[in-house]
Amino acid sequence: VSTQSTWAKEQMQEFRETIKGKFDEKEIKHMYKMFHKAAPSGKMGKKEFKKYIEELAIFKKVDHQESYDQLFRGYDRDHDGTITFKEYLQYHLGIVFSTEELFDIVFSMYDADNNGYIGREELVEVVTNSTRWMGDCDVESKDVQDLIQAEVDKIVGFCDVNKDGQISKEELIAAAEKHPEILEKLKNLA
C-alpha cells in the first residue's frame, strides 16, 4: 500500500509541475478520472478520443463519420498518435489559461501535415470543420464558404509576412507578439 501511496504522490507532484499551479488537486483528479474513463490503458488513441469528444456533447452537430483530427492534433503534443494524461493536462492548461502551450496547441491543430507551416487549405479545412460542428451554419452554402474564405484571407494576409501563401511558426510567433489576440482568434476558430 505504501508503494501505491508513494507512486500516487509522485504522480500528483508530476501533474502539479505540468499544470504550473493553475489547477488544484481536486481539478486534476477530476480530469484524471475523465481521461481514464475514455482511456483506461492510460493512452488515448483516435478511436477513444472520438468517443470522448462525442460523450462531452460540446458540438451541436455530430457526424459519426467525423474523427476530430484537428482537435486530436492539439492534444497529441509529440505527434505519436496517442494522447497521454500529461498531454491532456497541457492541452487544458493552454486552452483555459492561454499559457505558452497555447501556441503549440493552436499551431498543431492547423498544421494537418505536420510540415511546420499552416497552408491556406489547412486553414479553410479547420475553420470549415469547426463551423460545421457548431451547427449554426450550413458549410455547404456558398455564402458561408465565402465568409470562411474571407476570414482565411484575413488571417493569411495578417500573418504571412513573406507572402508565400502559408504561415510558418516564426511568422505566427511574430504576429502573436504584436497582436496576442491572434492566438485567441485562431483558438476560437478551431
Side-chain angles (χ1 to χ4, degrees):
V1 176
S2 65
T3 307
Q4 190 174 1
S5 174
T6 303
W7 178 85
K9 284 180 186 172
E10 288 173 8
Q11 284 294 104
M12 187 55 75
Q13 185 56 40
E14 181 187 334
F15 299 153
R16 276 196 198 100
E17 288 169 15
T18 298
I19 52 94
K20 302 170 185 168
K22 299 285 188 179
F23 296 115
D24 63 29
E25 194 166 316
K26 186 177 172 187
E27 291 167 317
I28 294 171
K29 285 178 179 176
H30 175 74
M31 286 189 273
Y32 187 83
K33 209 159 106 179
M34 286 183 66
F35 178 83
H36 280 279
K37 179 181 176 210
S41 72
K43 290 201 174 215
M44 191 183 303
K46 287 187 175 189
K47 189 173 149 190
E48 296 90 354
F49 183 74
K50 176 181 167 36
K51 186 176 184 231
Y52 165 76
I53 291 296
E54 289 174 354
E55 286 178 358
L56 285 178
I58 53 177
F59 298 124
K60 291 179 187 174
K61 188 164 183 175
V62 176
D63 176 355
H64 295 291
Q65 304 303 309
E66 183 58 64
S67 61
Y68 305 104
D69 285 344
Q70 70 202 47
L71 291 176
F72 188 86
R73 288 191 303 269
Y75 280 88
D76 183 16
R77 304 291 299 271
D78 61 6
H79 311 288
D80 70 350
T82 61
I83 300 166
T84 63
F85 184 62
K86 185 175 180 178
E87 289 172 317
Y88 182 85
L89 282 176
Q90 289 170 325
Y91 176 87
H92 289 279
L93 177 68
I95 293 297
V96 173
F97 295 103
S98 296
T99 59
E100 64 266 14
E101 285 82 7
L102 182 61
F103 177 83
D104 289 329
I105 291 166
V106 167
F107 201 89
S108 291
M109 284 198 274
Y110 286 90
D111 184 16
D113 60 8
N114 197 25
N115 70 350
Y117 295 91
I118 301 171
R120 196 176 281 278
E121 307 76 37
E122 290 169 319
L123 276 164
V124 169
E125 180 184 338
V126 169
V127 176
T128 301
N129 287 341
S130 297
T131 303
R132 184 177 57 253
W133 298 339
M134 289 300 125
D136 295 328
C137 303
D138 174 11
V139 295
E140 303 305 318
S141 131
K142 173 125 176 60
D143 289 344
V144 173
Q145 289 176 1
D146 288 347
L147 284 171
I148 290 170
Q149 195 60 55
E151 194 61 39
V152 166
D153 290 345
K154 266 198 299 193
I155 293 166
V156 171
F158 185 75
C159 296
D160 180 20
V161 177
N162 66 3
K163 304 299 178 210
D164 65 353
Q166 56 188 3
I167 303 167
S168 69
K169 281 188 174 184
E170 294 75 21
E171 287 173 321
L172 187 57
I173 289 169
E177 283 174 356
K178 282 186 190 169
H179 302 280
E181 67 277 7
I182 190 78
L183 277 183
E184 280 298 313
K185 182 176 191 75
L186 288 169
K187 176 182 89 172
N188 294 333
L189 287 171

